[in-house]
């Protein structure tokens, strides 16, 4: 085995991940930990100033309820999420986040985030729930608060440490193991409670950007399904693993469309079919009641556009030039004011990309595209797993203590594995929490985890013989490379191992062709899922033959293995749910209709920790009384 030092870290609370939800958890947990003399430790695979989905910054906070100004209520938010998820949401969790999220946003402002204000001093809304921000440094500000809170409470932060597996004592999580991506160090974190906040998953499906653009995607490449893998490996129950997210974004550089639709009131059209939201309106009847609510669920909006592209009516375009003209038209009688407004709109259009998807601005420049003069191509991206956004996959967690929810086993956001909490993309069926809601959920879980430690926390019992086995398994790819790489003239081609890039291509091919990726028009069926699972079984066998030539590739190997777990949970859930409920995200071609009588329920699953056997189950939907 590679000769790596084993570093043991003892803590009370271990937070895995350093993104939005984890920073929320750290800020809140450290506050309570300090009062109780407990230690909080946070571990991230990257540097938390610029890690996770918000690494590059954002131009809007997507969840702000506006309770103090009477703009909306938490109940309104429940209704919104319920419709957008076609009836399948954990209303207790959505409510819990919605009633706390505003205070999180107010903290962001206190910490230095610039939220746009109008002349009356009110926040500028992009849409009903969204606030405009100067967000290039959004993540830096939120990370700074987390770092300060941990430092003030005497905790520790480990950066560039990749978490792989949970440590278990029966059904209880007692820590985690991982490795440094820079040094020859294997880490063993022993903890009384653990929070999994390692984001969602990208590159499970083959991206549209292949060849020279490989790696480019809407979802940032840093998150590889570590939360799903970690909670599944802990034996925790998972939910909504079939609910992937497919955003429609500016084509090829994946630039955001929110500001265009909500702020600029732009239309999307297809080249020969016109405004598909108008032309294909009748199709929405087939998906009622959800098809008839406003806003129309994201998947149905996608679906109407997809119907056009399937019929060869594409490309699809965002009518940027028309939208800018329409806004500026208010100033048409005053040439000076008109010119000024046009300049302002033009700079807002570019800034929207420069804030969070710089590559889209580069692509516009490269293609000589001026948004005020010419419309710009949009397309449905490949599928992602992002339960905090408009997907819903994640762990099945306990609801808030004060609500009459049937899904409750003690501590808010604790999974069915004791002492293991999940947040952000890691917790399921509570979509539309976005950056602010993920942070709020992290705070909820951070506080609950400290409460758990105070009330039930015991010294973690860690089996060091088990740890040694995990170390050998995790470092094996380095050994395989060392042993066999000189056997062939091209070390990438070798009968004794497979390199991470080859493995990733195989996974993505299976998912793309059998589980409803771009190539199959997002369609799948029972038979396709079954064949996909067969091939996945063989891929899993080969995962033990993954080789890594250095630290970076070792991380790639484990990212791949984590993606495989997410992929399998996904195919199994799509296979189990015998209906089509989210056309526009995926389509079960053999069950093309929504079937409320049999499938208005959650699809949950577990994977046995010892045997690896999957169990699929239905769980009833609970709706908040009176909402
Ligand atoms: C392209 C895009 C645009 C978005 N736009 C908006 C928007 O405009 N407004 C808005 O409010 N929200 C937006 N969101 C949503 C928002 O970014 C997410 O809801 C939020 O980041 C989720 O928080 P999280 O903590 O679950 O994941 P993240 O913030 O992604 O954090 C995950 C963390 O886990 C770490 N990690 C991953 N694997 C491991 C591992 N194995 N070991 C250790 N650490 C690990 C990562 O480095 C990262 O720090 C957008 C998301 C995306 C992808």
């Amino acid at each position: 085995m590679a000769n790596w030092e084993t570093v043991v870290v003892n803590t009370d609370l271990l937070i895995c991940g350093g993104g939005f939800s984890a920073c929320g958890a750290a800020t809140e947990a450290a506050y309570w930990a300090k009062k109780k003399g407990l230690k909080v430790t946070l571990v991230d695979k990257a540097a938390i100033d610029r890690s996770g989905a918000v690494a590059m910054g954002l131009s809007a906070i997507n969840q702000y309820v506006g309770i103090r100004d009477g703009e909306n209520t938490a109940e309104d938010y429940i209704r919104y999420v319920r419709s957008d998820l076609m009836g399948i949401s954990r209303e207790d969790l959505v409510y819990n986040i919605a009633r706390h999220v505003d205070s999180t946003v107010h903290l962001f402002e206190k910490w230095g985030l610039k939220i746009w204000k109008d002349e009356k001093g009110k926040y500028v809304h992009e849409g009903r729930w969204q606030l405009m921000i100067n967000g290039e440094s959004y993540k830096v500000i939120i990370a700074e608060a987390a770092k300060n809170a941990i430092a003030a409470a005497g905790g520790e932060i480990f950066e560039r440490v990749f978490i792989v597996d949970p440590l278990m004592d029966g059904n209880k999580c007692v820590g985690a193991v991982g490795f440094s991506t820079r040094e020859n160090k294997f880490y063993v974190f022993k903890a009384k409670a653990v929070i999994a906040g390692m984001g969602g998953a990208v590159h499970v499906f083959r991206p549209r950007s292949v060849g020279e653009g490989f790696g480019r995607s809407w979802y940032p490449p840093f998150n590889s399904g570590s939360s799903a893998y970690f909670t599944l490996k802990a034996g925790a129950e998972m939910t909504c693993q079939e609910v992937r997210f497919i955003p429609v974004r500016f084509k090829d550089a994946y630039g955001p469309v929110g500001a265009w639709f909500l702020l600029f009131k732009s239309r999307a059209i297809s080249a020969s079919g016109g405004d598909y939201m108008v032309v294909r309106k009748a199709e929405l009847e087939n998906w009622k009641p959800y098809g008839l609510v406003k806003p129309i669920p994201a998947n149905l909006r996608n679906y109407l556009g997809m119907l056009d592209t399937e019929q060869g009516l594409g490309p699809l375009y965002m009518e940027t030039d028309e939208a800018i003209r329409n806004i500026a038209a208010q100033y048409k009688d005053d040439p000076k004011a008109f010119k000024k407004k046009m300049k302002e709109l033009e700079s807002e259009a570019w800034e929207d990309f420069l804030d969070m998807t710089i590559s889209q601005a580069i692509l516009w420049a490269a293609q000589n595209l001026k948004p005020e003069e010419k419309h710009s191509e949009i397309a449905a991206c490949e599928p992602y797993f992002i339960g905090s956004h408009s997907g819903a996959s994640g762990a099945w967690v306990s609801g808030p203590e004060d609500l009459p929810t049937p899904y409750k086993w003690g501590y808010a956001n604790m999974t069915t594995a004791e002492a293991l909490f999940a947040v952000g993309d890691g917790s399921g069926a509570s979509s539309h929490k976005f950056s602010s809601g993920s942070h709020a959920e992290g705070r909820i879980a951070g506080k609950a985890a400290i409460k758990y430690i105070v009330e039930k926390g015991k010294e973690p019992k860690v089996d060091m013989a088990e740890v040694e086995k995990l170390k050998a398994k995790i470092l094996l790819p380095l050994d395989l490379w060392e042993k066999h790489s000189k056997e062939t003239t091209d070390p990438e081609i070798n009968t004794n191992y497979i390199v991470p890039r080859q493995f990733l291509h195989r996974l993505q091919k299976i998912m793309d062709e059998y589980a409803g990726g771009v190539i199959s028009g997002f369609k799948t069926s029972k038979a396709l899922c079954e064949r996909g699972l067969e091939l996945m079984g063989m891929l899993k066998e080969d995962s033990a033959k993954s080789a890594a030539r250095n630290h970076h590739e070792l991380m790639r190997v484990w990212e791949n293995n984590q993606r495989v777990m997410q992929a399998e949970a996904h195919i199994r859930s799509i296979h189990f749910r015998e209906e089509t409920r989210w056309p526009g995200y995926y389509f079960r071609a053999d069950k093309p209709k929504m079937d409320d009588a049999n499938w208005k329920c959650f699809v949950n699953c577990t994977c046995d920790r010892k045997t690896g056997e999957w169990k699929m189950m239905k769980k009833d939907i609970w709706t908040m009384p009176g909402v």
Side-chain angles (χ1 to χ4, degrees):
M1 180 177 37
N3 185 20
W4 282 28
E5 180 191 351
T6 298
V7 181
V8 178
V9 179
N10 293 300
T11 188
D12 293 299
L13 175 62
L14 175 67
I15 301 174
C16 300
F20 255 70
S21 59
C23 283
T27 311
E28 186 77 23
Y31 172 84
W32 298 104
K34 193 175 170 196
K35 288 182 188 290
K36 303 285 177 190
L38 299 172
K39 180 179 171 189
V40 176
T41 301
L42 182 145
V43 188
D44 197 280
K45 74 191 269 196
I48 70 169
D49 276 350
R50 288 281 177 194
S51 68
V54 191
M56 219 190 298
L58 293 178
S59 48
I61 289 174
N62 279 358
Q63 188 186 9
Y64 182 73
V65 180
I67 293 173
R68 76 175 174 193
D69 291 333
E71 288 169 354
N72 298 290
T73 62
E75 287 80 359
D76 291 332
Y77 210 76
I78 290 183
R79 282 186 278 271
Y80 161 54
V81 179
R82 181 191 291 159
S83 307
D84 203 79
L85 274 176
M86 308 290 282
I88 312 294
S89 66
R90 277 282 302 271
E91 301 194 356
D92 56 336
L93 302 178
V94 173
Y95 180 79
N96 205 19
I97 296 167
R99 67 180 165 173
H100 291 297
V101 71
D102 290 2
S103 69
T104 278
V105 173
H106 302 151
L107 278 176
F108 292 172
E109 196 173 23
K110 193 174 132 201
W111 294 334
L113 180 70
K114 172 92 171 73
I115 307 180
W116 294 14
K117 297 250 177 75
D118 63 15
E119 50 294 341
K120 292 195 190 110
K122 295 258 181 222
Y123 292 144
V124 173
H125 277 261
E126 187 187 46
R128 181 172 177 189
W129 313 106
Q130 298 84 357
L131 302 180
M132 295 303 291
I133 56 172
N134 283 14
E136 186 277 338
S137 299
Y138 192 14
K139 183 67 205 300
V140 182
I141 292 168
I142 271 57
E144 185 185 35
K147 284 199 254 186
N148 288 345
I150 290 183
E156 269 189 289
I157 295 180
F158 291 83
E159 294 186 326
R160 301 200 170 85
V161 173
F162 186 92
I163 294 288
V164 184
D165 279 291
L167 289 171
M168 300 301 293
D169 172 15
N171 180 44
K172 186 172 161 190
C173 187
V174 289
V177 290
F179 58 89
S180 165
T181 59
R182 297 283 163 96
E183 302 168 297
N184 294 351
K185 286 185 179 168
F186 180 79
Y187 280 93
V188 181
F189 297 97
K190 299 181 180 178
K192 293 175 187 158
V194 178
I195 297 180
M198 293 171 281
V202 65
H203 291 322
V204 174
F205 282 83
R206 180 158 45 202
R208 281 186 185 273
S209 304
V210 290
E212 61 168 6
F214 187 69
R216 182 85 203 113
S217 57
W218 171 78
Y219 193 75
F222 324 114
N223 295 338
S224 58
S226 302
S227 301
Y229 175 94
F230 194 89
T231 42
L232 274 162
K233 282 281 177 179
E237 191 169 324
M238 307 293 283
T239 191
C240 295
Q241 292 299 308
E242 71 279 34
V243 195
R244 63 197 31 215
F245 176 43
I246 295 181
V248 166
R249 292 294 181 266
F250 284 97
K251 188 163 178 293
D252 294 331
Y254 302 86
V257 297
W260 285 100
F261 279 133
L262 298 171
L263 198 67
F264 293 111
K265 309 281 180 239
S266 179
R267 292 186 314 143
I269 59 150
S270 64
S272 1
D275 185 340
Y276 53 80
M277 295 306 297
V278 176
V279 177
R280 296 196 178 270
K281 197 166 169 226
E283 174 63 26
L284 296 172
E285 285 283 330
N286 296 330
W287 307 95
K288 57 186 187 197
Y290 315 109
L292 304 184
V293 285
K294 288 273 178 308
I296 298 163
N299 64 295
L300 291 178
R301 280 179 274 144
N302 286 358
Y303 184 52
L304 299 192
M306 284 174 189
L307 290 174
D308 269 13
T309 46
E310 266 174 28
Q311 289 185 2
L313 303 177
L316 304 183
Y317 289 108
M318 180 73 82
E319 291 285 75
T320 54
D321 48 334
E322 177 191 77
I324 289 181
R325 262 198 322 275
N326 286 347
I327 302 174
Q330 301 160 30
Y331 303 84
K332 65 178 185 323
D333 299 331
D334 179 346
K336 214 168 144 200
F338 181 82
K339 204 170 160 201
K340 189 169 167 241
K341 189 69 191 169
M342 281 299 280
K343 267 268 156 265
E344 191 185 306
L345 290 167
E346 192 194 324
S347 75
E348 270 172 25
W350 287 92
E351 190 200 314
D352 186 44
F353 292 158
L354 292 170
D355 261 359
M356 57 184 283
T357 317
I358 296 162
S359 45
Q360 184 69 53
I362 295 169
L363 191 70
W364 267 6
Q367 295 182 348
N368 302 326
L369 217 143
K370 294 184 179 164
E372 68 281 16
E373 285 177 7
K374 196 177 168 200
H375 57 198
S376 197
E377 221 182 314
I378 53 172
C381 307
E382 59 279 354
Y384 310 107
F385 298 90
I386 175 163
S388 67
H389 204 289
S390 310
S393 54
W396 183 246
V397 298
S398 188
E401 287 178 37
D402 61 325
L403 291 188
T405 160
Y407 325 112
K408 195 160 56 180
W409 47 95
Y411 295 84
N413 279 74
M414 193 164 95
T415 67
T416 58
E418 197 186 336
L420 174 59
F421 296 73
V423 289
D425 295 329
S427 81
S430 51
S431 327
H432 295 281
K433 45 197 168 191
F434 303 102
S435 60
S436 45
S438 295
H439 194 277
E441 190 185 32
R443 289 174 59 207
I444 292 165
K447 187 173 176 185
I450 294 292
K451 186 165 183 258
Y452 169 86
I453 294 170
V454 170
E455 290 174 359
K456 295 206 176 141
K458 295 211 177 73
E459 276 314 305
K461 273 202 279 167
V462 174
D463 179 351
M464 287 310 280
E466 201 52 41
V467 167
E468 274 308 305
K469 279 194 213 154
L470 283 171
K471 183 177 177 184
K473 176 187 88 168
I474 290 168
L475 300 186
L476 179 67
L478 294 169
D479 301 339
L480 284 176
W481 179 268
E482 192 56 34
K483 193 163 165 207
H484 297 293
S485 61
K486 296 197 179 58
E487 289 167 3
T488 51
T489 45
D490 180 349
E492 296 225 336
I493 299 161
N494 197 301
T495 50
N496 288 299
Y497 59 70
I498 178 168
V499 298
R501 183 176 282 262
Q502 293 161 344
F503 189 95
L504 184 63
H505 286 318
R506 243 174 93 186
L507 168 67
Q508 292 183 343
K509 183 168 161 61
I510 295 171
M511 295 306 286
D512 201 27
E513 293 177 359
Y514 298 94
V518 170
I519 205 168
S520 45
F522 310 109
K523 292 194 184 70
T524 183
S525 67
K526 182 171 189 281
L528 280 163
C529 285
E530 284 167 4
R531 178 67 182 141
L533 283 171
E534 238 179 278
L535 293 170
M536 191 70 75
M538 293 174 210
L539 182 68
K540 272 166 45 181
E541 276 176 34
D542 285 351
S543 68
K545 295 278 183 190
S546 285
R549 69 191 96 188
N550 51 35
H551 292 84
H552 187 72
E553 279 201 353
L554 188 64
M555 180 177 77
R556 290 283 181 252
V557 166
W558 284 101
E559 287 177 344
N560 280 342
N561 292 339
Q562 296 186 331
R563 287 189 179 105
V564 167
M565 199 89 180
Q566 174 64 83
E568 188 168 357
H570 184 54
I571 305 191
R572 286 186 185 281
S573 301
I574 286 186
H575 179 255
F576 184 73
R577 181 182 280 282
E578 297 198 318
E579 64 159 355
T580 294
R581 180 164 290 266
W582 298 275
Y585 289 169
Y586 76 89
F587 205 88
R588 266 283 300 254
D590 53 339
K591 300 276 176 193
K593 295 211 166 104
M594 191 164 69
D595 174 5
D596 261 355
N598 294 301
W599 290 101
K600 193 168 177 204
C601 62
F602 297 104
V603 164
N604 285 11
C605 64
T606 53
C607 179
D608 189 281
R609 282 201 297 121
K610 298 221 160 69
T611 62
E613 202 179 306
W614 290 82
K615 193 169 140 202
M616 307 302 303
M617 60 205 113
K618 290 183 179 184
K619 284 277 158 87
D620 289 341
I621 304 276
W622 174 80
T623 47
M624 186 95 163
V627 180

